Structure formats: structure tokens, C-alpha cells
Amino acid sequence: MTENQNTPTSELDFDAWLAGGERTTHHVTLFARLDLMAEIEQLEKQRIPYKAPDEADASLGGDTDPNTELDAKIAEFEAQIYASKREFRVSAITYNEEQEILDQIRKDLAPEIEAAAAEGRREAKITAKLMDITAPADINQLARTGANEKTNAVISRELRVRKIAMAAKTRISGEWASINRDQVERMLTVLGDAQMGLIADAVIASSDDVPLVTVPKS
């Protein structure tokens, strides 16, 4: 049997190559004490315009910077902010994994989703009454739209939380460790949507973007 001419001389061990592979990953740094930025902003407002004297005057004791104490306090707050940092490693999520998460959400949160839909329909009927909409078809359309918006809000938020829990890891005792759904929920409560949005964006970037690989020069 003639060997396929397209077979490379040194055949790649596909399984070995794939076994050593990993998904696209991004690193994100979050800070637990960004509230201290407000303290820094207040101190910055107290700064007094000051021009440092030349070396000759300074050597005679002429350097009396009125902001020295303020600068020391600012540096202290900056150090606290930096000490509160935590690094996260965020990996890609596949389409099938996201669909599995969605299916599980619909099962786990069925009562909450139904309640949201009912609330959406109720609000739509109030809106129809306020706008003097009386045609049943128009009212039903408003109700469907309202129900969809409310249920999508519940599902989208939970999807975001669970995707972060699946994709993100953080360092614990020097090792990358997974975080669970409840920990992500607590992070959202404590750190806020803006910071957690950095991780959510990293999940999307890892899952959807193909990074540009630079070919080594040598």
C-alpha cells in the first residue's frame, strides 16, 4: 500500500499535542479597598500650591513643603489599596458549556423566572392602562414584551455569575483555586458591578477573541 504523500516525515502526535493544550486565558486584578480612593481624593483637594526651593535655599533649611503630611497619608492609603489586590485567572467557556449553564439556570430558578414573568405582565397591564391602550392584541404584545424583559434580566444576571464561577480561579496558598457561585455573588455585593465587569469581560475575551500570536524572530 502506497503511503500518503501528504503525510509529514515526522508525524505529529495529535493526542500528545492536545493533551498539553489549554484554553485562551486572561489575568485580571481586582482590589478590595477601592473605597480608599475617596479618601485620597479628599486629601488631594487639601493640597497647597507649592514650588520646591532650589538646592541652595533647601540646604539652609528653606524647604518647608506644606504638603508633606498630606503626601504621607496619601501614600499610606495607596499602600492599603495595593495590598488589597487579588489576581484572577480567567479561562474561556465553550458554547456547549454556556448552554448547559442556561439549561441548569432554567431548572434551578424556575420559580424566580415565573415570578419575574408575572411581574412583567402586571407592569405591562399598568402601562397599557396609563397609555389608554385597549386593544387586546396590543395589551398582549406589551405583556409578552414585559415578561421577556423581566425573565431575561433574571437569567442574564445568573448566567453572568455562573460563567464567572466556572471560568475564574484565584491564587490560594500559591495555587490557582476555583471559586464558587456564592463567592462570586459575595464579590458582586462587596466589590460592585464595575470591578466584576472586568472579570465578565475577560470571560468574553477568552471565549470569543483569538489572540494574535507573534512569531519569534529566532
Side-chain angles (χ1 to χ4, degrees):
M1 185 175 180
T2 305
E3 186 174 335
N4 190 331
Q5 296 299 316
N6 293 325
T7 302
T9 304
S10 178
E11 185 175 348
L12 175 66
D13 186 332
F14 181 79
D15 290 337
W17 170 75
L18 197 57
E22 295 286 348
R23 298 181 186 183
T24 303
T25 302
H26 291 281
H27 283 211
V28 178
T29 301
L30 302 185
F31 297 87
R33 294 305 311 274
L34 286 186
D35 60 301
L36 295 177
M37 292 297 298
E39 304 299 331
I40 293 176
E41 290 171 2
Q42 290 300 312
L43 291 174
E44 290 284 3
K45 293 177 182 178
Q46 299 175 34
R47 293 182 62 85
I48 299 173
Y50 170 73
K51 181 180 179 181
D54 57 35
E55 293 184 6
D57 291 337
S59 64
L60 297 175
D63 186 4
T64 55
D65 186 349
N67 300 310
T68 299
E69 186 176 343
L70 280 176
D71 290 341
K73 290 180 179 179
I74 290 172
E76 183 179 342
F77 284 130
E78 289 174 339
Q80 290 181 51
I81 293 172
Y82 186 78
S84 75
K85 73 174 183 177
R86 179 171 283 274
E87 188 176 24
F88 293 85
R89 180 181 174 88
V90 184
S91 300
I93 289 179
T94 67
Y95 172 82
N96 286 340
E97 286 171 340
E98 182 167 333
Q99 293 308 303
E100 289 174 1
I101 294 174
L102 278 170
D103 290 342
Q104 194 61 46
I105 288 173
R106 293 188 179 100
K107 294 176 183 177
D108 295 343
L109 300 186
E112 290 85 348
I113 292 171
E114 181 55 39
E119 178 64 16
R121 289 189 289 269
R122 187 188 69 82
E123 290 182 359
K125 290 177 181 179
I126 293 174
T127 300
K129 186 175 182 179
L130 292 173
M131 297 178 65
D132 292 326
I133 297 175
T134 58
D138 293 338
I139 294 175
N140 289 337
Q141 180 59 44
L142 278 176
R144 284 193 295 271
T145 300
N148 285 335
E149 289 177 351
K150 289 290 185 179
T151 56
N152 286 340
V154 172
I155 293 171
S156 295
R157 186 187 186 284
E158 185 64 18
L159 178 62
R160 184 189 192 203
V161 170
R162 296 195 186 194
K163 283 174 65 175
I164 290 174
M166 174 179 281
K169 295 183 177 180
T170 188
R171 285 193 185 277
I172 298 178
S173 300
E175 301 291 335
W176 290 110
S178 299
I179 55 178
N180 60 45
R181 185 228 170 269
D182 291 343
Q183 288 174 319
V184 175
E185 189 69 61
R186 285 163 51 200
M187 289 169 64
L188 276 165
T189 300
V190 175
L191 304 181
D193 286 328
Q195 277 209 89
M196 291 302 291
L198 297 176
I199 295 187
D201 290 345
V203 176
I204 295 172
S206 297
S207 304
D208 297 346
D209 298 343
V210 179
L212 178 64
V213 177
T214 303
V215 179
K217 294 181 180 180
S218 58

